[in-house]
Amino acid sequence: MTLHLVLDYARASSPAARSLLRLAAHCLERKIACRLYADESAALHPVTMPLSELAFVDDPEDILVWLYSRESPDIHLAERFPGIRALLCEPAVFAGAGGEQLPSLTDSFEHVWGMDAFAAEGLRRMGFTHAEGWPLPGEDASPDVLAQMLAGFGRAARRPRTGESATVSVVICTLNRAAHLESCLRQLRLQRYPRFEVIVVNGPSTDDTDAVLARFPGEIKARRNPLANLCISRNLGIAAAEGEIVAFLDDDSFAHPDWMLEALPAFDDPLTTAVGGLSYRFRDETVEFSNGLLTETAYPWPIRPKPGSHHRGADGLWNTVTGNNCFFRRDALLAVGGFDEQIPYTHDESNVVMKMARQGMRARHRPLAIVHHGSQPSLNRRDEFDLNWKVMVRDSIYCGFRNRPAASSALPFLSRTFLEHARHRLRDPIDWWLYRRVSFVGFLRIEKQCMHGLLAGAAKAILAAPRPISPELLAQPREPFLPFPRAEAPSPGSVALFMEGAPLGEALAREGFRANVLREGPAALLDSRRGVFFHTVPCAENANRPIGFWRKMQELAVRSGASLLIVSAESEDALLIGADPRFKVAKLESTDTVEFSKIAEHIRDAATAPQARCPLIECVPAERMSPSRGAIRWRDPVYERCFWNLPADGGQSLKATIGSARETGEYRLDLFAGLDEPPRESDAVCELALNTAEGVPLIATAFGGSHFGGTRWAILSASVRLEQSDAPLCLTLTNVGFSGLRVQRVELRRWNGAAAGS
């Protein structure tokens, strides 16, 4: 058991904070594990840990006590805490702070305390019916009282949690994206939450979508929509859903394995009916939607720094969700009429959220519920700026007008909505043109479509009547809940192939491998089709192709653990990769006449075979490293691997221990890391101290390589001579050259000769 205490060091001298610190001291005296977290920057106090570390707690025996003295956007970390949760509120909360946030937490904590009688009564009025007075008010609380309190934690019964028992229906609406749909479905097999079904609503597709669906017999519910109308497809999915929660995922998206686990705890609040996660653009890992808000006129602000608590619209803002990453209670969807089929493409989820909000329901943000959106071309989207602006602007005005406040007059509100949307929609293209993100012709086309959309939106708002989900559709019999089968075994590993190996990559993906196809292109982009990751590598000249592919291979080694490249013929593009002692190149002849089981076995053998030139002695991943106080962990949103962040000031460090016995000789240390920017002065980007020896500089052998997702990925290396020993080798890593360094693992290899890339 570990006791986790969240404090607000801006109010570290308050009676509540001092009381919790006495509890922490009592635990430490009795050798009970205790961790302190700062509700501000971790740098404010040397003994605290950053709040983000709470996201890595997974022991249901642990205990959390959160001191709530003012509104905290990170309170969502408490709702996904696996153990006993306790909330301690100061009286200041009821003097104006936290009024929007606390009512949505009433069912999230086993223990709720007010620091005094006034605070406890305020909590009970707010809905915390089990709120009590804080049992440790005095400065001289005896050890017996402290021990009784800790024992009370252990006896507490965990409250029922939606995130552990709810059934979920995942609805995927698709149209002519068969290859991406297959990737989406295969990725759902990796979900760690077990109780969900999958419903695919196929529009008037003309590709091989039906063939893809046939590859999942008895595993999914399939529906057909003869019209290219997204809201009709969504309503078909709602009608077929047997889950308490209905989740929507785009066909060109794939969900992080913890997607449902992170989103569902928000439904512990009975008034929460909508939950939205964080969406990345898959192609370049930039943020597409995070903690988005709507104005009263339905103009969207898709990216905000922290989760919002705008549930009542008192400040003219409402929490909202994005359609490719959202969850709704099914009964709440039916209560508001489902999706309005007057909206064919966009702002459909905003319309639902605003209808729910007008009825007192809440939308919540869960930024750890991650989805990667492919943003593939469609009927209404060619690229980031070549969109159907007329439809988007038209339906946003319609959405705002249809959800206007009851006290607002129709025409004045429509005028206000028209002007607000015109101000933003006509100004943004000017900025895009000035910053050369669109051409002058593209700028004129966007402005023209937005003007048409403004006028069409005003007309539609007045003349069009909403079309809710039809009673006839809901009256149709529903199939029983159909659990979607998840992957039974962990992935065999990650491998890389060149473009000609794409068919083999698809076969490997069906066997659970993470197949990465490398291809040349104008920009560094990422795509996923039929379960295969396609990495576009920019090469200005043919002579740079081997270097470009070598650097991409290093990124895959850092992020996914790939060390094997499969080729079908001799290729100059693989020369540098083959010469690098950290990688292996396996040549496969034609696979047409070979059973795939033998190919998969051959690939597994090649991946696990020792590297003769530079054999691996031991690998220490980030999970086995011991950080200094205040170090922050980061989990790769695509490949899920854990990293430690090290700032450049040298004030934080990582310790790793290599326990393998060693012979006397030359060795190589490789650090697999992400780099924010080039070294400031030299190639020495960090120092690695071996036991008590002086620092050994690690050199970025692939620096300047793959810069993807805002990070340069590289392997930093150093050569060292070690004497024969059975004693553990202790490493201390300190960053002295980068503004930011993300450490994934350290490998020790026996050095048997020089090689390219060293």
Side-chain angles (χ1 to χ4, degrees):
M1 183 197 82
T2 300
L3 179 64
H4 304 263
L5 302 177
V6 178
L7 306 177
D8 181 356
Y9 271 89
R11 298 175 56 84
S13 60
S14 70
R18 293 200 304 270
S19 187
L20 285 185
L21 289 173
R22 287 196 302 276
L23 183 62
H26 174 82
C27 291
L28 295 176
E29 288 173 0
R30 283 151 183 78
K31 297 184 179 180
I32 299 174
C34 181
R35 296 179 181 176
L36 299 178
Y37 301 83
D39 199 22
E40 290 286 343
S41 168
L44 288 175
H45 201 281
V47 300
T48 59
M49 303 178 69
L51 265 178
S52 58
E53 279 298 292
L54 277 176
F56 294 89
V57 178
D58 56 7
D59 189 346
E61 300 296 322
D62 285 2
I63 298 167
L64 170 69
V65 182
W66 193 298
L67 174 57
Y68 195 93
S69 57
R70 55 181 170 173
E71 187 161 310
S72 171
D74 295 310
I75 195 72
H76 67 93
L77 294 172
E79 293 180 287
R80 48 105 49 220
F81 188 81
I84 298 295
R85 312 167 189 160
L87 180 69
L88 172 60
C89 286
E90 290 192 346
V93 171
F94 302 95
E100 287 275 355
Q101 200 170 41
L102 276 180
S104 60
L105 305 174
T106 52
D107 286 354
S108 299
F109 295 89
E110 281 73 22
H111 298 281
V112 179
W113 295 299
M115 194 58 198
D116 57 19
F118 170 75
E121 179 59 29
L123 287 166
R124 285 191 286 269
R125 287 197 308 268
M126 194 172 281
F128 294 91
T129 56
H130 57 305
E132 301 174 335
W134 177 239
L136 300 177
E139 292 284 342
D140 55 350
S142 68
D144 291 340
V145 173
L146 294 167
Q148 290 174 8
M149 183 176 184
L150 287 175
F153 281 129
R155 292 192 299 268
R158 294 173 77 248
R159 298 175 71 85
R161 297 178 181 176
T162 303
E164 297 175 348
S165 60
T167 53
V168 182
S169 297
V170 180
V171 177
I172 304 171
C173 303
T174 188
L175 177 61
N176 286 331
R177 286 186 183 150
H180 294 91
L181 174 64
E182 185 170 352
S183 282
C184 178
L185 292 171
R186 294 195 181 282
Q187 184 69 19
L188 282 174
R189 291 202 191 281
L190 305 180
Q191 285 295 304
R192 296 189 177 99
Y193 188 78
R195 288 173 288 280
F196 72 97
E197 65 177 0
V198 175
I199 301 165
V200 178
V201 183
N202 187 13
S205 297
T206 56
D207 61 359
D208 62 335
T209 297
D210 288 331
V212 169
L213 297 179
R215 296 186 191 124
F216 298 84
E219 299 179 357
I220 61 176
K221 297 178 181 178
R223 295 293 183 270
R224 189 82 187 195
N225 177 15
L227 302 176
N229 182 303
L230 180 59
C231 283
I232 293 177
S233 293
R234 292 197 193 276
N235 285 338
L236 285 167
I238 295 170
E242 273 290 321
E244 305 161 55
I245 308 297
V246 181
F248 291 96
L249 188 66
D250 278 8
D251 56 357
D252 59 346
S253 299
F254 77 86
H256 189 280
D258 289 335
W259 177 51
M260 295 186 211
L261 285 176
E262 295 291 352
L264 292 177
F267 289 106
D268 288 346
D269 169 30
L271 290 182
T272 292
T273 56
V275 173
L278 183 150
S279 292
Y280 286 100
R281 295 181 183 90
F282 187 48
R283 60 183 182 180
D284 57 6
E285 293 186 56
T286 55
V287 175
E288 181 179 84
F289 179 93
S290 177
N291 309 314
L293 302 176
L294 289 172
T295 67
E296 196 171 45
T297 62
Y299 184 80
W301 298 98
I303 300 175
R304 309 302 293 173
K306 291 285 187 178
S309 54
H310 305 275
H311 307 309
R312 297 180 297 182
D315 50 3
L317 295 173
W318 301 91
N319 282 8
T320 191
V321 302
T322 181
N324 58 48
N325 181 3
C326 55
F327 298 74
F328 298 94
R329 293 189 192 271
R330 186 176 186 272
D331 56 0
L333 281 172
L334 298 180
V336 298
F339 288 84
D340 187 348
E341 296 175 3
Q342 285 283 11
I343 303 175
Y345 163 60
T346 186
H347 291 287
D348 50 318
E349 72 281 356
S350 300
N351 186 56
V352 167
V353 167
M354 293 190 79
K355 286 193 292 185
M356 290 180 173
R358 295 297 183 196
Q359 297 186 24
M361 307 178 198
R362 298 171 183 146
R364 306 283 298 282
H365 295 138
R366 280 297 172 272
L368 295 179
I370 296 172
V371 159
H372 298 270
H373 185 210
S375 300
Q376 294 300 314
S378 67
L379 294 176
N380 293 286
R381 177 180 60 225
R382 268 68 62 188
D383 59 37
E384 183 179 0
F385 298 103
D386 189 4
L387 309 175
N388 191 336
W389 292 101
K390 176 182 176 180
V391 170
M392 292 179 62
V393 175
R394 181 194 69 193
D395 289 334
S396 63
I397 291 177
Y398 171 82
C399 172
F401 180 77
R402 283 294 164 187
N403 294 286
R404 66 188 183 276
S408 298
S409 299
L411 289 179
F413 189 85
L414 179 59
S415 299
R416 185 174 135 215
T417 302
F418 183 94
L419 291 175
E420 179 175 349
H421 284 261
R423 182 169 68 252
H424 293 292
R425 298 296 189 181
L426 299 179
R427 183 190 63 192
D428 289 345
I430 298 175
D431 294 336
W432 300 335
W433 172 52
L434 291 176
Y435 285 98
R436 299 184 179 181
R437 301 182 71 183
V438 299
S439 66
F440 183 67
V441 174
F443 157 72
L444 293 178
R445 183 179 64 250
I446 296 172
E447 290 283 341
K448 178 181 177 181
Q449 289 189 18
C450 287
M451 282 298 303
H452 288 175
L454 289 166
L455 297 173
K460 183 174 182 177
I462 297 172
L463 301 176
R467 294 208 324 257
I469 188 170
S470 69
E472 293 79 11
L473 179 62
L474 295 174
Q476 295 178 4
R478 288 186 286 169
E479 301 173 35
F481 187 81
L482 181 62
F484 188 69
R486 298 182 297 153
E488 297 180 356
S491 170
S494 180
V495 298
L497 311 94
F498 284 136
M499 189 61 196
E500 61 271 14
L504 175 60
E506 294 178 14
L508 289 171
R510 287 193 288 272
E511 292 295 314
F513 284 90
R514 178 154 276 179
N516 302 274
V517 171
L518 312 184
R519 60 183 180 183
E520 185 182 359
L525 298 175
L526 180 59
D527 190 14
S528 178
R529 298 197 303 273
R530 303 195 188 280
V532 180
F533 288 76
F534 288 84
H535 302 261
T536 303
V537 180
C539 302
E541 301 175 359
N542 285 337
N544 294 334
R545 285 168 57 93
I547 298 175
F549 288 122
W550 177 51
R551 288 170 173 168
K552 176 57 71 171
M553 191 70 192
Q554 301 213 27
E555 176 195 330
L556 293 175
V558 174
R559 302 185 69 188
S560 72
S563 61
L564 175 66
L565 173 69
I566 302 170
V567 298
S568 58
E570 296 294 338
S571 171
E572 293 184 358
D573 294 337
L575 288 178
L576 277 178
I577 297 174
D580 192 319
R582 295 162 298 207
F583 303 130
K584 294 172 247 182
V585 177
K587 182 180 177 182
L588 289 179
E589 303 294 344
S590 174
T591 60
D592 296 339
T593 59
V594 182
E595 293 183 13
F596 180 74
S597 60
K598 295 182 179 180
I599 296 175
E601 183 179 353
H602 176 76
I603 291 172
R604 288 189 181 93
D605 292 342
T608 57
Q611 174 59 269
R613 288 174 296 165
C614 205
L616 177 66
I617 304 300
E618 188 169 340
C619 173
V620 183
E623 291 85 352
R624 285 174 48 197
M625 297 181 185
S626 300
S628 61
R629 181 69 64 175
I632 297 176
R633 260 187 290 192
W634 176 78
R635 196 177 296 279
D636 190 316
V638 177
Y639 295 98
E640 307 159 45
R641 294 195 165 221
C642 182
F643 291 72
W644 282 107
N645 288 342
L646 284 181
D649 57 11
Q652 295 177 4
S653 61
L654 294 174
K655 294 184 182 298
T657 301
I658 294 178
S660 302
R662 300 170 302 281
E663 299 177 353
T664 300
E666 298 294 328
Y667 289 82
R668 178 183 181 128
L669 281 164
D670 289 328
L671 177 71
F672 293 71
L675 320 170
D676 284 354
E677 61 182 49
R680 290 192 292 268
E681 296 179 357
S682 68
D683 287 336
V685 298
C686 53
E687 291 184 352
L688 193 63
L690 310 179
N691 293 335
T692 58
E694 296 182 358
V696 177
L698 294 179
I699 308 302
T701 59
F703 182 75
S706 183
H707 185 278
F708 194 75
T711 304
R712 294 178 185 267
W713 306 95
I715 304 174
L716 317 180
S717 302
S719 296
V720 295
R721 181 172 179 81
L722 300 176
E723 301 300 324
Q724 181 177 359
S725 175
D726 294 332
L729 179 65
C730 299
L731 314 177
T732 302
L733 179 67
T734 304
N735 175 23
V736 296
F738 276 93
S739 63
L741 181 71
R742 294 174 177 173
V743 178
Q744 203 285 314
R745 65 187 184 275
V746 175
E747 292 183 354
L748 178 67
R749 294 177 178 272
R750 181 65 188 266
W751 183 247
N752 289 337
S758 61

